[in-house]
């Protein structure tokens, strides 16, 4: 069996997607291992999941740097130290800059809680509900230099119910989103993948 793909996960919040990846990666046949978890703020619950799993963590705050470019460089160094094959933004609420993309472009993935290209940005479920769509969902994609514009790896749909609130829809999406993330990170790691234009081909 080839050695597992090294994954660094970036988070800003509760880290339920991270927790799902950590649980999946306990299985030696999963194909990927989380080698470090980084955050843009201290005190987020996701860092505790990593600590519980005895995985190294780091925090790189924008405010600790003179400007965004310096932060982007520092984040790139911190992630590089763990020599990842894949970097995954799992609720990481920062756009990375050109240094990060020069190092990890093409292998930096993000999971977004809307069916892109609809509803990019940080309020996917709220925007979907306000628009009145009947189907919502989550998108796993390869990050490029736009906002939620990269090549799509996978999408999963959930219904929008008449009595949904932002909270209930967000929760329904997150359940499907976590399962998708776990399934596809494993598949990418085990089967390999390539980009043809905007199309992601697995295997
Ligand atoms: C996910 O739904 C992601 O799409 C959004 O933030 C959420 C992160 O949740 N950007 P968690 O921190 O993994 O629980």
């Amino acid at each position: 069996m080839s050695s597992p793909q090294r994954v660094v996960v970036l988070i800003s919040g509760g880290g339920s997607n991270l927790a799902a990846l950590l649980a999946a990666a306990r299985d030696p046949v999963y194909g990927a291992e989380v080698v470090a978890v980084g955050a843009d703020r201290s005190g987020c619950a996701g860092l505790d999941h990593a600590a519980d799993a005895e995985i190294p963590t780091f925090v790189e705050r924008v405010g600790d740097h003179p400007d965004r470019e310096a932060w982007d460089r520092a984040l790139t160094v911190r992630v590089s130290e763990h020599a990842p094959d894949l970097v995954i933004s799992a609720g990481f609420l920062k756009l990375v800059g050109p240094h990060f993309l020069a190092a990890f472009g093409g292998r930096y993935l993000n999971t977004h809680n809307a069916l892109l290209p609809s509803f990019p940005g940080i309020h996917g479920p709220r925007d979907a509900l306000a628009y009145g769509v009947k189907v919502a969902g989550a998108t796993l994609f390869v990050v490029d230099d736009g906002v939620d514009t990269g090549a799509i790896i996978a999408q999963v749909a959930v219904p929008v119910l008449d009595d949904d609130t932002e909270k209930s829809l967000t929760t329904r999406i997150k359940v499907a989103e976590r399962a998708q993330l776990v399934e596809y990170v494993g598949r990418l790691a085990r089967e390999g993948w390539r980009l043809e234009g905007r199309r992601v081909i697995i295997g």
Side-chain angles (χ1 to χ4, degrees), residues 40-129:
D40 65 325
R41 61 200 74 189
S42 46
C44 50
L47 288 172
D48 298 336
H49 295 312
D52 291 346
E54 298 183 343
I55 287 167
T57 62
F58 58 89
V59 174
E60 207 60 64
R61 282 179 287 255
V62 173
D64 290 344
H65 297 277
D67 55 30
R68 194 85 185 197
E69 195 203 341
W71 171 79
D72 182 43
R73 281 185 192 277
L75 181 71
T76 305
V77 169
R78 295 302 282 275
V79 173
S80 299
E81 283 166 1
H82 299 282
D85 298 299
L86 278 180
V87 185
I88 298 175
S89 158
F92 187 57
L93 298 177
K94 289 283 182 302
L95 292 176
V96 299
H99 301 291
F100 192 94
L101 287 177
F104 301 112
R107 54 199 176 105
Y108 178 42
L109 318 184
N110 184 29
T111 179
H112 178 65
N113 51 9
L115 292 174
L116 295 171
S118 295
F119 314 122
I122 61 170
H123 297 299
R126 184 197 296 179
D127 294 342
L129 205 53

Side-chain angles (χ1 to χ4, degrees), residues 13-18 90-91 111-113 174 177:
S16 65
N17 283 287
L18 166 67
T111 179
H112 178 65
N113 51 9
K174 281 184 89 163
E177 181 182 31

